[in-house]
Each structure stands twice: as structure tokens, then as C-alpha cells.
Amino acid sequence: MIVYSIKIQNQAMLEIKQLHKSYAIGDSSLHVLKGIDLSVAQGEMVAIMGSSGSGKSTLLNIIGMLDEADEGDYILDQVPIKNLTEKKAAIYRNKFLGFIFQSFNLINYKNALENVGLPLYYQGLKRKERQDKARFHLKKVGLLDWATHLPSELSGGQKQRVAIARALASDPKLLLADEPTGALDTTTSYDIMAFLQQLNDEGKTILIVTHEEDIAAMCKRIVRLRDGVIMEDKKVTQVRAEAHV
Ligand code: ADP
Ligand code: MG
């Protein structure tokens, strides 16, 4: 008899059950997420779609522990995310998650290398180790030659690459991107998507909020939000993005 010793496959990277979120607006409240169930396995590349105001960012921010749900369960890499202190949430955020935003969110007065090294500073790494790691990741996104340049000296695509390098610096298990190509032209958008696909090929789990069909088609699964619920969740054949750089 053969006894298989297997690592549990397809273990959920994140598991969300019956998630609800409302915003208070004056005396009334806006029910944005109305019972979201979502499970994402390690290695997936998922697009979260929906029209403007459908709650995509709200969902991503809850997944990213930048915001909290009112109701429901959220388990991230086996850790229940509930009633965490600010401190604990920050530790988990740093350990588990990398963020990429539409507007890059780089610090204007810090150069590319310093921006990439910033999460490592918060992790308490020493200067030398920070610089080595930041250099490694800047090289990975093809921008080592731009290390000493300020964000204002970089193109939109380069800024987003720096932001990706920063997101990768702490080696997160999960990469969260909110409209990462929203401020970029089509060619540059596809370059960024080609890079995200490469990261996913290497095993990184990635969630991308977008309202662009061509960007969503470059993921492996599309989740569509409407009226606070998931109206569709399907695996798709990934369209490969072609890099131009
Ligand atoms: P999307 O990212 O899909 O465009 P959001 O998650 O940003 O949608 O917003 C969903 C709805 O919640 C919108 O109607 C928005 O105006 C509202 N909303 C988002 N954040 C807040 C907030 N902090 N306070 C009040 N309303 C908010
Ligand atoms: Mg949004």
C-alpha cells in the first residue's frame, strides 16, 4: 500500500463568508457589501470587477485590513481577521500583504530605492539589509538604474513598477491591486499586467480590482460585483499580456 504524504493542496489563501459592510451617511446608512462569499486559493490571479461604486475598493480594503467588515468571517492564510488591535493589524498587513494603487502612492521626496525600502523600515530591518533588499526588488522590476531618481522624474509606468517593487519588498503572500492600470495608457497597462502575470507564474497570489474587461481577461478568474453581491464568479482562459519594455 502506498501512503501519500501530501501537503494540503489548494488550501485557501483567503476565505470570506457572508461579509457585510455599510457606511453611515448622516442619519442613513449605505449597505455596500451584502453578503459576500469568496474563497481564493494560493496561486490564483483574480480580477474583481463591477461598475463604479459597486464596492470593489471596499472589499479590497477589507481584504487588505485597511478597513473592517460589519459582519461575516474573514480568514487570511489560516488566521481569522477579526477584532484585531491596530498594532496587530499592522503586523499582519506587513507580513501578509502587498498593495498597489491606481495613483501609485509613492512618497514624493524619497527616491525610488527609498520608496521600495520603506516597508522594510517598518519591519525593523537594518539599513544595509533594507538597501540590499530594495535593490534586489528594484532590479526585478527593471529599474535599478533609476534607484536615485525621485517619483517626479519617472514615467507613470515606472512609478507603478517602483510601487510593485515596494509591494514585493516584504515578500507578501498576497498582492492586492486597486485599479493598478487605471492611470496608465494601454501599452503601459499591458506592460504592468505582463509583469503581474510573471509574478503570478512564479506563484504569487494576486487580486486585481479593475473595471476594464481587457485587464480582467489577463487574470485567471473574474469575480463580478453588483448591488453588493457577487453576481458572477468564473475561471477564464488567461490572455497573456505582451510586455514592451
Ligand atoms: P468602487 O471601488 O467599486 O468604485 P467603493 O467601494 O469605493 O466602490 O464604494 C462603494 C460605495 O460606498 C460608493 O457608493 C461610495 O460612495 C461609498 N463609500 C465608499 N467609501 C465610503 C466612506 N468612507 N464613507 C461613505 N461612503 C463610502
Ligand atoms: Mg474603487
Short mmCIF file of all heavy atoms in Angstrom, two decimals, residues 167-207:
data_model
loop_
_atom_site.label_atom_id
_atom_site.label_comp_id
_atom_site.label_asym_id
_atom_site.label_seq_id
_atom_site.Cartn_x
_atom_site.Cartn_y
_atom_site.Cartn_z
N ALA A 167 5.74 46.87 -3.02
CA ALA A 167 4.77 45.87 -2.54
C ALA A 167 5.42 44.51 -2.35
O ALA A 167 5.03 43.74 -1.48
CB ALA A 167 3.60 45.77 -3.52
N LEU A 168 6.43 44.23 -3.18
CA LEU A 168 7.08 42.92 -3.11
C LEU A 168 8.16 42.84 -2.05
O LEU A 168 8.58 41.76 -1.65
CB LEU A 168 7.72 42.59 -4.47
CG LEU A 168 6.77 42.36 -5.64
CD1 LEU A 168 7.57 42.20 -6.92
CD2 LEU A 168 5.91 41.13 -5.39
N ALA A 169 8.61 44.01 -1.60
CA ALA A 169 9.79 44.07 -0.75
C ALA A 169 9.67 43.21 0.51
O ALA A 169 10.63 42.60 0.94
CB ALA A 169 10.11 45.51 -0.37
N SER A 170 8.48 43.17 1.08
CA SER A 170 8.32 42.40 2.31
C SER A 170 7.88 40.96 2.02
O SER A 170 7.42 40.26 2.91
CB SER A 170 7.33 43.10 3.24
OG SER A 170 6.18 43.47 2.53
N ASP A 171 8.00 40.56 0.75
CA ASP A 171 7.65 39.21 0.31
C ASP A 171 6.26 38.78 0.80
O ASP A 171 6.11 37.80 1.52
CB ASP A 171 8.70 38.21 0.78
CG ASP A 171 8.59 36.91 0.01
OD1 ASP A 171 8.06 36.91 -1.12
OD2 ASP A 171 9.01 35.85 0.54
N PRO A 172 5.23 39.53 0.39
CA PRO A 172 3.88 39.23 0.87
C PRO A 172 3.34 37.96 0.24
O PRO A 172 3.76 37.57 -0.84
CB PRO A 172 3.08 40.44 0.37
CG PRO A 172 3.76 40.85 -0.88
CD PRO A 172 5.23 40.61 -0.62
N LYS A 173 2.40 37.33 0.95
CA LYS A 173 1.76 36.13 0.39
C LYS A 173 0.72 36.51 -0.63
O LYS A 173 0.38 35.73 -1.51
CB LYS A 173 1.08 35.37 1.52
CG LYS A 173 2.05 34.95 2.58
CD LYS A 173 1.53 33.78 3.37
CE LYS A 173 2.65 33.23 4.21
NZ LYS A 173 2.36 31.94 4.75
N LEU A 174 0.19 37.71 -0.46
CA LEU A 174 -0.94 38.13 -1.29
C LEU A 174 -0.70 39.55 -1.76
O LEU A 174 -0.36 40.44 -0.97
CB LEU A 174 -2.21 38.05 -0.43
CG LEU A 174 -3.53 38.48 -1.02
CD1 LEU A 174 -3.91 37.61 -2.21
CD2 LEU A 174 -4.63 38.37 0.05
N LEU A 175 -0.88 39.74 -3.08
CA LEU A 175 -0.70 41.07 -3.66
C LEU A 175 -2.07 41.62 -4.01
O LEU A 175 -2.85 40.96 -4.71
CB LEU A 175 0.15 40.92 -4.93
CG LEU A 175 1.03 42.07 -5.39
CD1 LEU A 175 1.93 42.56 -4.27
CD2 LEU A 175 1.86 41.62 -6.58
N LEU A 176 -2.37 42.81 -3.50
CA LEU A 176 -3.67 43.44 -3.75
C LEU A 176 -3.47 44.69 -4.59
O LEU A 176 -2.67 45.56 -4.23
CB LEU A 176 -4.34 43.82 -2.42
CG LEU A 176 -4.55 42.69 -1.43
CD1 LEU A 176 -5.09 43.23 -0.11
CD2 LEU A 176 -5.51 41.65 -2.01
N ALA A 177 -4.18 44.77 -5.70
CA ALA A 177 -4.00 45.91 -6.59
C ALA A 177 -5.35 46.56 -6.89
O ALA A 177 -6.26 45.89 -7.38
CB ALA A 177 -3.34 45.45 -7.89
N ASP A 178 -5.48 47.83 -6.56
CA ASP A 178 -6.73 48.55 -6.81
C ASP A 178 -6.58 49.42 -8.05
O ASP A 178 -5.92 50.46 -8.00
CB ASP A 178 -7.11 49.41 -5.60
CG ASP A 178 -8.58 49.84 -5.65
OD1 ASP A 178 -9.20 49.70 -6.73
OD2 ASP A 178 -9.10 50.30 -4.62
N GLU A 179 -7.14 48.99 -9.16
CA GLU A 179 -7.04 49.68 -10.45
C GLU A 179 -5.59 50.03 -10.78
O GLU A 179 -5.27 51.20 -11.05
CB GLU A 179 -7.89 50.97 -10.43
CG GLU A 179 -9.31 50.77 -9.92
CD GLU A 179 -10.36 50.70 -11.04
OE1 GLU A 179 -9.97 50.62 -12.22
OE2 GLU A 179 -11.55 50.70 -10.70
N PRO A 180 -4.70 49.04 -10.78
CA PRO A 180 -3.28 49.34 -10.95
C PRO A 180 -2.93 49.96 -12.30
O PRO A 180 -1.89 50.58 -12.44
CB PRO A 180 -2.60 47.98 -10.80
CG PRO A 180 -3.64 46.99 -11.20
CD PRO A 180 -4.94 47.58 -10.73
N THR A 181 -3.82 49.78 -13.29
CA THR A 181 -3.54 50.32 -14.62
C THR A 181 -4.45 51.50 -14.94
O THR A 181 -4.44 52.01 -16.05
CB THR A 181 -3.74 49.23 -15.70
OG1 THR A 181 -5.11 48.81 -15.68
CG2 THR A 181 -2.85 48.03 -15.43
N GLY A 182 -5.23 51.94 -13.94
CA GLY A 182 -6.25 52.97 -14.17
C GLY A 182 -5.69 54.31 -14.63
O GLY A 182 -6.40 55.09 -15.28
N ALA A 183 -4.42 54.59 -14.28
CA ALA A 183 -3.84 55.90 -14.65
C ALA A 183 -2.83 55.76 -15.79
O ALA A 183 -2.07 56.68 -16.05
CB ALA A 183 -3.18 56.52 -13.43
N LEU A 184 -2.82 54.60 -16.44
CA LEU A 184 -1.78 54.35 -17.45
C LEU A 184 -2.39 54.16 -18.84
O LEU A 184 -3.53 53.70 -18.97
CB LEU A 184 -1.00 53.08 -17.06
CG LEU A 184 -0.37 53.09 -15.66
CD1 LEU A 184 0.23 51.72 -15.34
CD2 LEU A 184 0.69 54.18 -15.54
N ASP A 185 -1.61 54.49 -19.88
CA ASP A 185 -2.09 54.23 -21.24
C ASP A 185 -2.07 52.72 -21.50
O ASP A 185 -1.52 51.95 -20.71
CB ASP A 185 -1.22 54.98 -22.26
CG ASP A 185 0.23 54.52 -22.22
OD1 ASP A 185 0.50 53.34 -22.52
OD2 ASP A 185 1.08 55.34 -21.84
N THR A 186 -2.67 52.32 -22.62
CA THR A 186 -2.88 50.89 -22.87
C THR A 186 -1.56 50.11 -22.92
O THR A 186 -1.44 49.07 -22.27
CB THR A 186 -3.64 50.69 -24.20
OG1 THR A 186 -4.86 51.44 -24.11
CG2 THR A 186 -3.97 49.24 -24.43
N THR A 187 -0.59 50.63 -23.65
CA THR A 187 0.69 49.92 -23.77
C THR A 187 1.33 49.72 -22.41
O THR A 187 1.77 48.61 -22.06
CB THR A 187 1.67 50.71 -24.68
OG1 THR A 187 1.00 50.98 -25.92
CG2 THR A 187 2.92 49.92 -24.94
N THR A 188 1.37 50.79 -21.63
CA THR A 188 1.99 50.71 -20.30
C THR A 188 1.17 49.79 -19.39
O THR A 188 1.73 49.03 -18.60
CB THR A 188 2.10 52.12 -19.69
OG1 THR A 188 2.66 53.00 -20.66
CG2 THR A 188 2.97 52.12 -18.46
N SER A 189 -0.16 49.85 -19.51
CA SER A 189 -1.03 48.97 -18.73
C SER A 189 -0.67 47.51 -18.99
O SER A 189 -0.57 46.70 -18.05
CB SER A 189 -2.49 49.16 -19.12
OG SER A 189 -2.94 50.42 -18.75
N TYR A 190 -0.48 47.18 -20.26
CA TYR A 190 -0.19 45.79 -20.60
C TYR A 190 1.20 45.38 -20.11
O TYR A 190 1.41 44.24 -19.73
CB TYR A 190 -0.33 45.56 -22.11
CG TYR A 190 -1.77 45.64 -22.59
CD1 TYR A 190 -2.82 45.95 -21.71
CD2 TYR A 190 -2.11 45.41 -23.92
CE1 TYR A 190 -4.12 46.03 -22.14
CE2 TYR A 190 -3.43 45.48 -24.36
CZ TYR A 190 -4.42 45.80 -23.47
OH TYR A 190 -5.72 45.88 -23.90
N ASP A 191 2.14 46.34 -20.10
CA ASP A 191 3.46 46.05 -19.53
C ASP A 191 3.33 45.68 -18.05
O ASP A 191 3.93 44.72 -17.57
CB ASP A 191 4.37 47.29 -19.64
CG ASP A 191 4.81 47.54 -21.07
OD1 ASP A 191 4.72 46.61 -21.90
OD2 ASP A 191 5.25 48.67 -21.36
N ILE A 192 2.54 46.48 -17.34
CA ILE A 192 2.34 46.21 -15.92
C ILE A 192 1.65 44.86 -15.73
O ILE A 192 2.04 44.05 -14.88
CB ILE A 192 1.51 47.35 -15.27
CG1 ILE A 192 2.31 48.67 -15.25
CG2 ILE A 192 1.05 46.97 -13.86
CD1 ILE A 192 3.57 48.65 -14.40
N MET A 193 0.64 44.59 -16.56
CA MET A 193 -0.06 43.30 -16.45
C MET A 193 0.88 42.14 -16.78
O MET A 193 0.81 41.09 -16.15
CB MET A 193 -1.28 43.28 -17.38
CG MET A 193 -2.44 44.13 -16.89
SD MET A 193 -2.93 43.77 -15.18
CE MET A 193 -3.62 42.11 -15.37
N ALA A 194 1.76 42.33 -17.77
CA ALA A 194 2.73 41.27 -18.11
C ALA A 194 3.60 40.98 -16.90
O ALA A 194 3.90 39.82 -16.59
CB ALA A 194 3.59 41.70 -19.30
N PHE A 195 3.96 42.03 -16.19
CA PHE A 195 4.80 41.84 -15.01
C PHE A 195 4.03 41.13 -13.90
O PHE A 195 4.54 40.21 -13.24
CB PHE A 195 5.37 43.17 -14.53
CG PHE A 195 6.43 42.97 -13.50
CD1 PHE A 195 7.68 42.50 -13.88
CD2 PHE A 195 6.18 43.20 -12.17
CE1 PHE A 195 8.66 42.26 -12.94
CE2 PHE A 195 7.15 42.96 -11.22
CZ PHE A 195 8.39 42.49 -11.60
N LEU A 196 2.77 41.53 -13.70
CA LEU A 196 1.96 40.87 -12.67
C LEU A 196 1.73 39.40 -13.03
O LEU A 196 1.75 38.53 -12.16
CB LEU A 196 0.63 41.61 -12.48
CG LEU A 196 0.75 43.02 -11.89
CD1 LEU A 196 -0.62 43.71 -11.83
CD2 LEU A 196 1.38 43.00 -10.50
N GLN A 197 1.55 39.13 -14.33
CA GLN A 197 1.39 37.74 -14.76
C GLN A 197 2.66 36.93 -14.46
O GLN A 197 2.59 35.78 -14.01
CB GLN A 197 1.07 37.68 -16.25
CG GLN A 197 -0.35 38.14 -16.57
CD GLN A 197 -0.68 38.03 -18.05
OE1 GLN A 197 0.20 38.04 -18.90
NE2 GLN A 197 -1.96 37.94 -18.35
N GLN A 198 3.80 37.56 -14.69
CA GLN A 198 5.08 36.89 -14.41
C GLN A 198 5.18 36.55 -12.91
O GLN A 198 5.57 35.44 -12.54
CB GLN A 198 6.23 37.80 -14.83
CG GLN A 198 7.60 37.17 -14.72
CD GLN A 198 8.71 38.22 -14.83
OE1 GLN A 198 8.62 39.14 -15.67
NE2 GLN A 198 9.72 38.10 -13.99
N LEU A 199 4.78 37.49 -12.07
CA LEU A 199 4.81 37.25 -10.63
C LEU A 199 3.88 36.10 -10.26
O LEU A 199 4.19 35.25 -9.43
CB LEU A 199 4.39 38.50 -9.85
CG LEU A 199 5.36 39.68 -9.89
CD1 LEU A 199 4.73 40.87 -9.19
CD2 LEU A 199 6.68 39.30 -9.24
N ASN A 200 2.71 36.10 -10.90
CA ASN A 200 1.74 35.03 -10.65
C ASN A 200 2.28 33.69 -11.15
O ASN A 200 2.11 32.65 -10.48
CB ASN A 200 0.40 35.38 -11.30
CG ASN A 200 -0.63 34.28 -11.12
OD1 ASN A 200 -1.01 33.60 -12.06
ND2 ASN A 200 -1.06 34.06 -9.88
N ASP A 201 2.96 33.70 -12.29
CA ASP A 201 3.60 32.47 -12.80
C ASP A 201 4.58 31.92 -11.77
O ASP A 201 4.75 30.71 -11.65
CB ASP A 201 4.37 32.75 -14.10
CG ASP A 201 3.45 33.11 -15.27
OD1 ASP A 201 2.23 32.87 -15.17
OD2 ASP A 201 3.96 33.63 -16.27
N GLU A 202 5.22 32.84 -11.05
CA GLU A 202 6.19 32.43 -10.03
C GLU A 202 5.50 31.99 -8.74
O GLU A 202 6.16 31.63 -7.77
CB GLU A 202 7.15 33.59 -9.73
CG GLU A 202 8.06 33.94 -10.90
CD GLU A 202 8.79 35.28 -10.70
OE1 GLU A 202 8.71 35.85 -9.60
OE2 GLU A 202 9.40 35.76 -11.67
N GLY A 203 4.15 32.11 -8.70
CA GLY A 203 3.41 31.58 -7.56
C GLY A 203 2.71 32.59 -6.69
O GLY A 203 2.01 32.23 -5.74
N LYS A 204 2.92 33.87 -6.98
CA LYS A 204 2.29 34.90 -6.14
C LYS A 204 0.78 34.93 -6.37
O LYS A 204 0.31 34.90 -7.50
CB LYS A 204 2.91 36.26 -6.48
CG LYS A 204 2.64 37.35 -5.47
CD LYS A 204 3.33 37.13 -4.16
CE LYS A 204 4.79 37.57 -4.15
NZ LYS A 204 5.44 37.17 -2.86
N THR A 205 0.04 34.99 -5.28
CA THR A 205 -1.42 35.12 -5.36
C THR A 205 -1.76 36.60 -5.53
O THR A 205 -1.25 37.44 -4.78
CB THR A 205 -2.08 34.59 -4.07
OG1 THR A 205 -1.52 33.31 -3.77
CG2 THR A 205 -3.59 34.48 -4.22
N ILE A 206 -2.59 36.92 -6.53
CA ILE A 206 -2.84 38.32 -6.86
C ILE A 206 -4.34 38.59 -7.04
O ILE A 206 -5.03 37.85 -7.72
CB ILE A 206 -2.09 38.73 -8.16
CG1 ILE A 206 -0.60 38.35 -8.07
CG2 ILE A 206 -2.25 40.23 -8.43
CD1 ILE A 206 0.21 38.74 -9.30
N LEU A 207 -4.80 39.66 -6.40
CA LEU A 207 -6.17 40.14 -6.59
C LEU A 207 -6.10 41.53 -7.23
O LEU A 207 -5.42 42.41 -6.70
CB LEU A 207 -6.88 40.28 -5.24
CG LEU A 207 -7.84 39.16 -4.82
CD1 LEU A 207 -7.08 37.86 -4.69
CD2 LEU A 207 -8.50 39.51 -3.51
#
